[in-house]
Amino acid sequence: MGIVMGTFSMQPKQGGFRKDKAEDELEMTVVCHRPEGLEQLEAQTKFTKRELQILYRGFKNECPSGLVNEDTFKQIYAQFFPHGDASTYAHYLFNAFDSGQNGSVKFEDFVMALSILLRGSIREKLRWTFNLYDLNKDGYINKEEMTDIVRAIYDMMGKYTYPVLRDEAPRQHVDAFFQKMDKNKDGVVTLDEFIASCQEDDNIMQSLQLFENVI
Amino acid sequence: MAAGVAAWLPFARAAAIGWMPVANCPMPIAPSDKSRRQDELIILNVSGRRFQTWRTTLDRYPDTLLGSSEKEFFYNEETKEYFFDRDPDVFRSVLNFYRTGKLHYPRYECISAYDEELAFFGIIPEIIGDCCYEEYKDRKRENAERLMDDNDPENSKEGNLPNLNFRETMWRAFENPHTSTMALVFYYVTGFFIAISVITNVVETVPCGIHQNQKDLPCGERYSVAFFCLDTACVMIFTVEYLLRLFAAPSRYRFIRSVMSIIDVVAIMPYYIGLVMTNNEDVSGAFVTLRVFRVFRIFKFSRHSQGLRILGYTLKSCASELGFLLFSLTMAIIIFATVMYYAEKGSSASKFTSIPASFWYTIVTMTTLGYGDMVPKTIAGKIFGSICSLSGVLVIALPVPVIVSNFSRIYHQNQRADKRRAQKVQKARLARIRVSKTGSSNAFLRSKRNGLLNEALELTGSGEEDQHLSKSTSIIESQHHHLLHCLEKTTNHEFVDEQVFEHNCLESGMKNYTSRSPSLDSSHGLTGTCCSRRSKKTTHLPNSSVPATRLRSMQELSAIHIQCGEQQALSTSRSSLNVQSDEALRLNCQSSQITTAIISIPTPPTASPEGSLPQPSSPSQPSAGVNIVKVSAL
């Protein structure tokens, strides 16, 4: 008999359930974004039309709505680094790509950043990298920011490394970095110091040219 | 690497520029796109229906037919298209897999046709998306069972295994009477005697007619000799049968523990005990009652009756539901019995003398039997009595649909067995997908070795093998591996396998030569990490005869780590400098299996951490028992 009473009492709850679902569906309208025309993008970036087409096809395949949010960005980046945890570095990258700081990357942002990275001058590349490292965008890189970045890079390696990854490794790396970059030893690296130091280092210059033929 | 994001590889590589200023050493050379083809349209002609797609779309999954060079076998030079003589409808799903990254199973397709197409195109069915995977697995299971059902009657009719010995033939004869005529005869004989013994037991108690002391005598006592002879005959047959079964059983211990054998034993024991005990009225009476267990022999027939088996299985499978029902019934009985007892307490000459006495009334009322031997007399008692009988009707209605639904459920395959099988299948499926995913990270480690062999060969000038090796990985894979290689260079650490990692942990738990910083207290930090567990377990060390080979790039020290044996002798200080430990190790290391010279390192010591390693050890004699000797090979 108690069961009968129970079944009677269950009916009104289901009605409320259905109402919630309907509201959720209304909210789930897809936000779509279409990029500017192909000619405009071609003018703004250093890519040819064909390259932009290839880029856009890949972009649209992964993000049909035309916008990448941070989670998708992290997922995509994590696929390339299955060994470790790429989410922190992907977060910093996302902030660097998201020039408008509005939480999503449009195709234009994507393509502009790629244009700088792949086809830009040395100075532009270094400025972009400085922007990446400068987490709070105040124009200075201090030790904490650099430690965060380096730690994020080390996180991507994962656990199974040779030699075994230890906690002091990022810090040592940052110390070495600052020793090289911080010319006036004031504890922060400015853009000019950064560019100057990088231009002095042959290794860095060489590696910046590495990805020219990516597309 | 999930090929769906292959389109984002250029972005990932471009983002790698962010590591460059951090890196201390130069980056490896990027793989060149030897065949710089522009992205082109490919035409796939499948039995006349033309599909077109970009070449890069197909390249996403290089381990399938369409993604690899295997499709060149189907290339038609005249029409400049790839021709496949396969089903175009199924090909739609296959091509959509390349486009979207998700494989769907169309419901209208036959499962075996679909499987064949997938096998042809080199796609494993485990990557079917979650939306369609259940359907796929269900259909596959149905199909398999149908095939199994078709095969089973065939098998049983065929001549069976020829090499059964006598014992096994006997066992099979017992278990399945249709195997041979002898078995059938035996089966019918035992069945007949079971029936005889049951009828005997029944007729024994019928009053037979001779009046003695105003009481009818049961037949058993009138014709006691005849019944005794019948009983003896049946028991002898049963005993012989039991002993034969015991002899033939493949696992006697298990047979003794089985339910049927217990019933057999219980059935024949009373007779033997009765023989022993003579004329003791009470005890033999009790044992005669035990004879009733012989009736359970009828359950032996259930082995050959499908319907009985299903019924038994049904009851077993809904045992939990019935158990819960019984529990709730018990609760209801107790409640109503209590209520009736207290309600009828007042009336005089009430039959409800105690609560357990009221149980009988409650049960009889709830099951709508209503014998009438106990009847409430007070008004309260009558009210509660009527409530009791009404609720009883409801309670009786409950078990019937449970049993019916279970019965039909078992006819359409047991759900619980399916779930168990599905769980295993799900686990197996996830394991397979995981393997194919980790295959990508292992692929990197593998190709690292291959790629470095490549570079070595390049340096020594043999170009032909170089080409052969590089073709084995697709261009996307090689670019991805180059990216991972850059990351290694940036952080000055390498990706290694899990086993190699643990091997290293063991090594470095023993001696801290890998400490990159000159500070001593880093050793404590080392044991604070994962290696702390390992260092406690270092009772047996990895065999020194298996060197951990690691080929590094030409720009760094190429070293082969060789371990000295007999390291169990190391008992003392582990937490000190290399220099100090060297002496201790030299003392303890009894046999050095390798004596090699240390060749100087080409790279500057500050650039690579491994470069700093041989410096403390080089002052020690190379030929003595140094544990880790680095040999550079060029």
Side-chain angles (χ1 to χ4, degrees), chain B residues 105 111-112 115 133-149 412-426:
Chain B
Y105 169 60
I111 185 74
S112 38
D115 267 342
Y133 193 68
E134 290 264 349
E135 173 83 21
Y136 173 79
K137 273 290 157 190
D138 285 342
R139 296 274 291 266
K140 197 147 186 198
R141 204 182 323 120
E142 267 181 51
N143 203 33
E145 272 163 13
R146 206 173 301 137
L147 289 173
M148 237 166 45
D149 285 341
H412 298 283
Q413 285 152 31
N414 191 357
Q415 271 185 11
R416 247 176 252 144
D418 284 350
K419 261 188 231 167
R420 251 180 271 126
R421 250 180 284 150
Q423 275 177 8
K424 279 189 215 156
V425 164
Q426 179 75 359

Side-chain angles (χ1 to χ4, degrees), chain B residues 70-119:
Chain B
E70 195 183 344
K71 64 177 183 281
E72 304 301 325
F73 285 99
F74 299 92
Y75 187 64
N76 189 341
E77 291 288 343
E78 296 123 44
T79 52
K80 296 263 185 283
E81 60 189 21
Y82 295 87
F83 181 76
F84 296 97
D85 201 8
R86 311 289 302 187
D87 187 1
D89 291 325
V90 180
F91 189 75
R92 260 188 55 237
S93 324
V94 169
L95 195 53
N96 276 334
F97 167 62
Y98 288 90
R99 290 182 183 136
T100 61
K102 281 195 276 221
L103 182 62
H104 295 281
Y105 169 60
R107 279 160 205 240
Y108 54 83
E109 281 297 336
C110 167
I111 185 74
S112 38
Y114 191 72
D115 267 342
E116 276 171 24
E117 296 296 313
L118 284 187

Side-chain angles (χ1 to χ4, degrees), chain B residues 206-219 222-223:
Chain B
V206 170
C208 249
I210 292 201
H211 298 269
Q212 238 186 31
N213 306 333
Q214 308 287 317
K215 199 171 64 167
D216 280 342
L217 206 60
C219 283
R222 186 173 167 193
Y223 303 106

Side-chain angles (χ1 to χ4, degrees), chain B residues 458-469:
Chain B
E458 269 175 32
L459 280 177
T460 56
S462 52
E464 308 88 44
E465 289 118 61
D466 158 45
Q467 284 174 6
H468 164 72
L469 277 171

Side-chain angles (χ1 to χ4, degrees), chain B residues 548-575:
Chain B
T549 330
R550 249 170 268 109
L551 291 173
R552 306 218 196 111
S553 78
M554 292 306 118
Q555 290 159 332
E556 265 185 57
L557 185 62
S558 296
I560 301 173
H561 281 254
I562 306 162
Q563 235 181 333
C564 178
E566 316 296 337
Q567 282 166 354
Q568 295 89 337
L570 275 175
S571 53
T572 55
S573 59
R574 314 223 174 126
S575 62

Side-chain angles (χ1 to χ4, degrees), chain A residues 50 57-58 61-62 73 79-81 83 89 97 114 117 133 154 157 159-163 165 173 207 214, chain B residues 2 4 8 17-22 38-39 54 60 480 490-491 493-496 498 501 504 552 561:
Chain A
R50 206 160 164 83
R57 281 208 298 270
N61 237 344
E62 208 52 36
F73 199 85
Q79 310 253 14
F80 294 108
F81 301 98
H83 308 265
Y89 188 69
F97 266 78
L114 275 187
L117 285 172
Y133 294 162
Y154 274 77
M157 289 294 294
K159 198 169 90 144
Y160 301 121
T161 57
Y162 174 78
L165 203 49
H173 211 136
S207 27
V214 162
Chain B
W8 286 70
I17 289 186
W19 310 332
M20 302 300 144
V22 177
Q38 286 293 329
D39 200 11
W54 298 107
R60 278 191 204 154
H480 185 213
T490 310
T491 55
H493 286 69
E494 281 183 12
F495 290 112
V496 290
E498 192 170 333
F501 174 71
N504 292 342
R552 306 218 196 111
H561 281 254

